[in-house]
């Protein structure tokens, strides 16, 4: 259904709602919830946990002052559809989409909120995402094109550009997420993060990386070897390349780069 407008939301405030989806990963989600309990951020008011498939684990009803809303899916849904459904329970100014395999060494949310407060046109922010060894993950990328994929195959050198951020830890201003109607749920998995970054920029919202604010991605990558995931990935890329947002964003990036060179 259509997202509520800010005026319809009682008690909306500069707090944050966090959405996490479990694909039978209760043990991993529990670890993220333990981190949230430990850092006890005064900014996080609600966590939406979506169980995408049936599992025995269930989250507690709250952690500290933060309430937990549980959504159980009758059948599995894609990444975008799950987070859009979670957003219907968001009553706060900010909405964070977080992978279950994220670890929080310290509270990132207070400094994230400060960045949003300092720029009213900031629609999306990602913290700096590192692996457990402390190396920066490949979470901020150049726009994906058939040529860029070919170049990645034949050369280890890639151009570092901040055209979009991966969906491991995306913090949205709720007004920005609402203004672009959230994720495009026609993407089942993959590319919906690149697509929403393009649509936010085209709608005049900015996104940025909070490089001084670290979270850990303890990657669970077994799925990358599956033929089904490869098929989803290819289908998503073809859908993205067929969208007008992709080509309009490509033109916008080209114009921006032209200005930088002049």
């Amino acid at each position: 259904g259509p997202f509520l407008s800010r005026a319809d939301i009682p008690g909306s405030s500069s707090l944050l709602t966090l959405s996490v989806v479990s694909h039978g990963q209760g043990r991993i989600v529990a670890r993220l919830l333990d981190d949230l309990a430990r850092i006890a951020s005064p900014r996080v008011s609600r966590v939406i946990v979506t169980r995408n498939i049936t599992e025995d684990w269930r989250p507690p009803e709250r952690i500290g002052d933060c309430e937990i809303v549980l959504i159980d899916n009758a059948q599995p849904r894609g990444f975008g559809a799950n987070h859009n459904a979670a957003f219907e329970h968001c009553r706060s100014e900010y909405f964070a989409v977080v992978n279950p395999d994220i670890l929080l060494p310290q509270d990132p949310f207070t400094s994230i909120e400060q960045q949003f407060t300092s720029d009213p046109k900031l629609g999306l922010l990602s913290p700096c995402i590192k692996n457990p060894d402390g190396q920066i993950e490949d979470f901020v990328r150049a726009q994906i094109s058939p040529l860029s994929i070919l170049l990645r195959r034949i050369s280890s050198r890639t151009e570092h550009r901040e055209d979009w951020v991966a969906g491991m830890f995306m913090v949205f201003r709720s007004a920005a997420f609402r203004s672009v109607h959230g994720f495009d749920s026609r993407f089942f998995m993959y590319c919906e993060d690149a697509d929403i970054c393009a649509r936010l920029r085209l709608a005049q919202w900015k996104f940025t990386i909070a490089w001084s604010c670290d979270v850990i991605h303890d990657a669970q990558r077994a799925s990358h070897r599956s033929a089904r995931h490869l098929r989803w990935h290819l289908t998503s890329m073809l859908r993205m390349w067929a969208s007008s947002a992709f080509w309009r964003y490509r033109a916008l990036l080209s114009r921006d780069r032209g200005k930088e060179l002049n």
Side-chain angles (χ1 to χ4, degrees):
F3 295 139
L4 294 169
S5 81
R6 182 83 192 277
D8 303 325
I9 297 177
S12 172
S13 69
S14 68
L15 296 172
L16 179 140
T17 299
L18 187 148
S19 171
V20 59
V21 180
S22 176
H23 310 274
Q25 298 161 296
R27 184 180 54 79
I28 297 171
V29 178
R31 197 176 58 167
L32 172 61
L33 296 178
D34 286 346
D35 275 1
L36 285 168
R38 177 179 49 76
I39 64 174
S41 174
R43 306 259 57 87
V44 183
S45 59
R46 181 177 275 185
V47 177
I48 317 293
V49 176
T50 304
R51 292 193 294 191
N52 204 28
I53 58 175
T54 308
E55 60 179 307
D56 292 335
W57 172 83
R58 67 179 295 123
E61 289 183 10
R62 55 188 315 112
I63 42 177
D65 294 333
C66 173
E67 70 167 319
I68 296 182
V69 175
L70 178 63
I71 299 175
D72 275 320
N73 287 344
Q75 60 265 334
R77 303 168 87 169
F79 178 97
N82 274 319
H83 291 298
N84 286 351
F87 186 69
E88 307 231 348
H89 297 267
C90 176
R91 303 288 178 269
S92 54
E93 195 160 346
Y94 307 106
F95 178 63
V97 167
V98 178
N99 267 20
D101 53 7
I102 289 286
L103 301 171
L104 304 173
Q106 67 275 322
D107 172 14
F109 300 107
T110 303
S111 68
I112 283 171
E113 195 213 354
Q114 285 164 355
Q115 285 210 236
F116 274 109
T117 309
S118 67
D119 186 352
K121 289 307 291 176
L122 184 59
L124 167 62
L125 181 146
S126 170
C128 177
I129 299 174
K130 295 184 173 177
N131 66 22
D133 297 331
Q135 293 154 323
I136 295 175
E137 288 262 285
D138 175 26
F139 74 99
V140 52
R141 302 169 189 173
Q143 197 187 32
I144 312 165
S145 65
L147 179 62
S148 72
I149 290 171
L150 182 65
L151 291 174
R152 279 182 82 147
R153 286 263 175 253
I154 60 177
S155 164
S156 59
R157 285 180 62 206
T158 52
E159 193 179 353
H160 177 78
R161 297 212 302 254
E162 297 178 9
D163 298 342
W164 62 283
V165 292
M168 294 178 260
F169 198 125
M170 304 175 97
V171 186
F172 296 91
R173 190 184 296 275
S174 294
F177 191 82
R178 193 177 299 113
S179 75
V180 297
H181 308 291
F183 290 105
D184 183 340
S185 57
R186 292 173 301 177
F187 294 98
F188 183 76
M189 191 184 288
Y190 305 113
C191 299
E192 57 280 277
D193 41 11
D195 170 74
I196 200 169
C197 287
R199 290 185 293 110
L200 282 165
R201 284 287 310 279
L202 289 166
Q204 256 71 96
W205 293 100
K206 299 180 199 167
F207 64 79
T208 193
I209 314 300
W211 288 107
S212 60
C213 186
D214 294 352
V215 300
I216 307 295
H217 182 224
D218 190 15
Q220 313 285 315
R221 288 226 163 92
S223 61
H224 287 205
R225 293 187 291 275
S226 121
R228 187 175 53 166
H229 281 256
L230 178 63
R231 191 173 68 247
W232 284 337
H233 211 153
L234 292 171
T235 308
S236 291
M237 281 195 289
L238 291 171
R239 180 182 294 286
M240 182 175 68
W241 293 333
S243 74
S244 74
F246 175 85
W247 296 101
R248 281 166 36 231
Y249 186 39
R250 194 170 180 77
L252 174 80
L253 291 170
S254 243
R255 286 196 301 274
D256 286 354
R257 281 182 197 122
K259 286 177 199 161
E260 283 165 21
L261 294 172
N262 290 336

